[in-house]
Amino acid sequence: TPATMGIDMKAGGRVNNNGRTAPVSENPYIRLLVKLYRFMARRVECQFNKVVLKRLFMSKMNRPPLSLSKLAKLMAGKDGQVAVMVGTVTDDVRMLDTPQGLKVCALRFTEGARNRILKNGGEILTFDQLAQQHPTGSNCLLVRGPRAAREANRHFGAPGTTHAAPYVRSKGRKFEKARGRRKSRGYKC
């Protein structure tokens, strides 16, 4: 009967709730934002603040930066909306003209990105300003950087089946370019 059933400790044991409940970072400004968004997530009935709070807990690796050019693409045709990025917004020198009137809220801006946004009539918000102006996250677009763009991600997965790149001493003709890489040398995958 279900009443006498126990937990099979060998098989799975007790299921833990993994995932952060507080930031590991000791940055006092992030800690203050966590206090604010903990309150907002509890008291304001919307999912937006809960998502922002969860992202404030994340490690820096899970908060990759977003370039200004990618931000411009994401915000195309979304006039009047605020782009919300829990992380850093960086400048992109390849982009020649910055769109007019971008409204962006982020944890950090590089100097170049900040200057370009402000120069083109844009607006920069901090998260405490965002909480006052858009407490429910209405008219806000949550954006994030490319998490899988790290060089290390190229090497993840089983070799030979998932196109995982090998760690090689040098990239050249003689280094891991034959078997498994071309049809004429055994097999290609």
Side-chain angles (χ1 to χ4, degrees):
T1 58
T4 56
M5 281 178 70
I7 300 167
D8 189 347
M9 297 307 283
K10 278 207 174 83
R14 292 184 171 85
V15 178
N16 296 327
N17 288 332
N18 294 326
R20 292 186 177 183
T21 53
V24 174
S25 164
E26 289 175 9
N27 184 333
Y29 300 108
I30 286 184
R31 295 264 165 163
L32 283 168
L33 284 178
V34 164
K35 275 187 181 179
L36 169 66
Y37 274 90
R38 250 193 234 284
F39 174 80
M40 297 283 284
R42 193 176 74 244
R43 295 298 298 270
V44 181
E45 275 187 47
C46 70
Q47 206 56 34
F48 175 80
N49 294 316
K50 291 185 177 73
V51 175
V52 171
L53 179 66
K54 194 175 91 173
R55 290 189 190 179
L56 283 169
F57 292 161
M58 286 182 181
S59 63
K60 202 168 176 188
M61 209 171 267
N62 289 320
R63 288 188 282 111
L66 186 70
S67 70
L68 204 51
S69 56
K70 190 70 190 280
L71 187 66
K73 265 184 203 159
L74 292 168
M75 295 303 286
K78 295 186 172 70
D79 299 329
Q81 285 202 5
V82 185
V84 180
M85 164 72 179
V86 186
T88 308
V89 173
T90 56
D91 190 13
D92 193 346
V93 290
R94 299 167 300 180
M95 186 173 69
L96 300 173
D97 43 345
T98 316
Q100 296 289 319
L102 268 182
K103 260 183 109 171
V104 192
C105 170
L107 283 179
R108 230 181 113 253
F109 292 89
T110 61
E111 206 174 332
R114 182 187 295 275
N115 293 342
R116 282 180 82 170
I117 292 167
L118 294 173
K119 198 170 148 190
N120 285 306
E123 197 180 335
I124 279 173
L125 298 172
T126 56
F127 274 94
D128 48 317
Q129 288 170 327
L130 182 79
Q132 286 179 317
Q133 291 178 24
H134 301 273
T136 60
S138 60
N139 232 10
C140 293
L141 182 73
L142 262 170
V143 293
R144 53 179 160 186
R147 196 185 290 192
R150 283 169 53 223
E151 200 278 335
N153 282 53
R154 292 180 57 239
H155 306 283
F156 294 167
T161 54
T162 57
H163 300 286
Y167 286 106
V168 285
R169 176 163 50 106
S170 181
K171 193 175 162 129
R173 177 183 59 80
K174 299 186 286 188
F175 301 95
E176 302 193 24
K177 288 276 198 247
R179 189 169 171 273
R181 288 282 170 188
R182 55 193 73 239
K183 269 269 197 264
S184 61
R185 299 286 178 271
Y187 66 99
K188 178 175 177 4
C189 62

